[in-house]
Amino acid sequence: MAQSVGIKDIAREAGVSVGTVSNVINRPDTVSADTRERVQSVIDRLGYVRSESARQLRAGHSRIMGLLVLDMGNPFFVDIARGAERVARDAGLGVMVCNSAQNPAEEAEYLSLFAEQRVRGVLVTPADMTGRTIETLRRYRTPFVLVDRVAEDATECSVSVDDVAGGALAMRHLIEMGHRSVAYVCGPPGLQQITDRRAGALKALAEAGLPADVLRALPTDRLDVAAGRDAGARLLGLTERPTAVFCANDLLALGVLQALYAADVRVPEDVAIVGYDDIEFAAAAAVPLTSVRQPAVTVGELAARLLLEETAEGAAEEHEHRQVVLQPELVVRTSSLRPR
Ligand code: RIB
């Protein structure tokens, strides 16, 4: 493999000192215009690329921000990545996106990789609900911001959306549409955001003076479209079929919609459906999906900003850790509207 071009090669070729080449790269305003142009043309001609590892050794971290998501197949996390990348790019950083697939062991491997790469810090939606994620990050001394999860410790930053409020929005809407038998397609146990959505739905039932058993849990083993299709099939097999379905996210809702459509069950006439996240495909579905919208791009932007603020040079003293909680909003579409 060809020897990489070094700063000494540039200096020799341009007939200047190594210090002058360094100034052209790092402090160009300290070098005269013609020297700067002469050195820059040699850099371009020889294809010199400055050594990130050398810079990293000096700065103590790389120009990479880690992002560890629960499910790369879920457009919700793509939107979070979009927001984080926008802020990171403006700060001259790149984003390394890794997917825990809700698997704590895979999550642990990526946390170790981020530490080895000396990333600036990590935005993470923990897959491990026992707190081990945070313990590991602290052990590695990797700065982090929790995403889609409220930090329980005031010394941690987090950006999340009020999922209790979101669940209540969904259920209030279904109550208003006249539904008194609702299935909650809730994915696997353990994710706080999913638990909070159910708690919000139960709160709305209580506020309306309705019993909790209006809402019937329909657990699935994953939070994707296939799991939604499976839940839809089980729904069709129920002797007393609910008149509405509240799904813990839009991927589940799209799967339920597919299963009902395949069985000639009409949505919303026979069964109303409400999803959560308001991903791009919700509006584009065969029956446009009512959903509780999470401002995912904003979540990503704010989380990246908090991480940059916390890891800025000399920020240790004045950085104020914040637990930002944003509000969801209900986006009503055809899938839950009461037929005229
Ligand atoms: O990761 C599962 C779900 O939790 C996503 O769809 C999103 O709603 C997140 O909050």
Side-chain angles (χ1 to χ4, degrees), residues 16-50:
V16 297
S17 69
V18 167
T20 299
V21 176
S22 174
N23 284 338
V24 168
I25 295 167
N26 298 306
R27 290 176 295 281
D29 53 334
T30 64
V31 183
S32 69
D34 62 349
T35 302
R36 200 165 56 231
E37 281 160 25
R38 189 165 83 249
V39 170
Q40 191 57 54
S41 68
V42 171
I43 286 173
D44 297 343
R45 179 160 49 82
L46 298 189
Y48 169 75
V49 175
R50 67 179 168 181

Side-chain angles (χ1 to χ4, degrees), residues 70-71 74 76-77 102 148 163 191 193-194 197 223 248-250 276-277 294:
L70 280 179
D71 176 6
N74 186 339
F76 169 79
F77 292 103
Q102 280 185 243
D148 195 30
D163 284 314
L191 279 178
Q193 55 267 53
I194 308 302
R197 290 166 202 172
L223 284 151
N249 76 10
D250 287 344
Y276 205 101
D277 292 341
Q294 295 204 77

Side-chain angles (χ1 to χ4, degrees), residues 26-325:
N26 298 306
R27 290 176 295 281
D29 53 334
T30 64
V31 183
S32 69
D34 62 349
T35 302
R36 200 165 56 231
E37 281 160 25
R38 189 165 83 249
V39 170
Q40 191 57 54
S41 68
V42 171
I43 286 173
D44 297 343
R45 179 160 49 82
L46 298 189
Y48 169 75
V49 175
R50 67 179 168 181
S51 162
E52 171 58 12
S53 52
R55 194 207 61 76
Q56 192 169 314
L57 281 174
R58 283 195 306 277
H61 55 70
S62 70
R63 291 186 301 133
I64 296 294
M65 184 184 290
L67 172 62
L68 186 46
V69 299
L70 280 179
D71 176 6
M72 198 88 89
N74 186 339
F76 169 79
F77 292 103
V78 173
D79 285 342
I80 286 191
R82 188 174 290 134
E85 192 274 336
R86 190 178 294 167
V87 170
R89 184 186 58 225
D90 290 348
L93 277 78
V95 178
M96 180 194 286
V97 185
C98 294
N99 181 26
S100 69
Q102 280 185 243
N103 179 324
E106 298 204 17
E107 177 176 88
E109 285 178 26
Y110 282 124
L111 294 180
S112 171
L113 175 67
F114 286 144
E116 288 161 15
Q117 293 297 317
R118 295 286 186 280
V119 295
R120 177 76 171 263
V122 176
L123 310 180
V124 56
T125 303
D128 187 308
M129 299 306 295
T130 64
R132 200 170 300 129
T133 308
I134 293 168
E135 287 165 18
T136 304
L137 286 160
R138 287 195 179 288
R139 190 168 68 250
Y140 289 149
R141 292 186 177 72
T142 303
F144 66 91
V145 174
L146 294 179
V147 173
D148 195 30
R149 180 72 42 76
V150 182
E152 290 162 9
D153 185 326
T155 65
E156 295 158 6
C157 286
S158 65
V159 182
S160 59
V161 178
D162 185 341
D163 284 314
V164 173
L169 283 173
M171 182 50 80
R172 266 188 224 114
H173 170 63
L174 289 172
I175 291 168
E176 282 161 20
M177 291 295 113
H179 296 287
R180 296 299 181 268
S181 170
V182 179
Y184 179 50
V185 178
C186 50
L191 279 178
Q192 190 60 46
Q193 55 267 53
I194 308 302
T195 306
D196 286 351
R197 290 166 202 172
R198 181 169 184 272
L202 293 175
K203 179 167 167 268
L205 286 170
E207 285 167 355
L210 294 169
D213 63 6
V214 164
L215 187 69
R216 172 180 179 165
L218 207 55
T220 60
D221 54 358
R222 296 179 320 285
L223 284 151
D224 57 20
V225 173
R229 277 199 299 270
D230 168 66
R234 282 186 284 147
L235 195 78
L236 292 167
L238 295 176
T239 45
E240 290 180 29
R241 188 174 71 197
T243 62
V245 184
F246 171 30
C247 296
N249 76 10
D250 287 344
L251 295 182
L252 289 168
L254 293 172
V256 170
L257 181 60
Q258 272 186 346
L260 297 185
Y261 184 80
D264 291 329
V265 171
R266 299 171 304 163
V267 175
E269 294 80 356
D270 300 330
V271 177
I273 301 178
V274 173
Y276 205 101
D277 292 341
D278 197 28
I279 60 175
E280 187 184 349
F281 304 118
V287 178
L289 187 64
T290 292
S291 186
V292 178
R293 182 176 184 280
Q294 295 204 77
V297 173
T298 304
V299 169
E301 287 173 342
L302 291 177
R305 284 206 182 93
L306 280 173
L307 187 67
L308 290 175
E309 190 185 287
E310 179 168 337
T311 57
E313 294 298 322
E317 294 70 40
E318 69 261 15
H319 174 67
E320 177 204 339
H321 294 289
R322 291 198 293 284
Q323 296 75 38
V324 178
V325 180

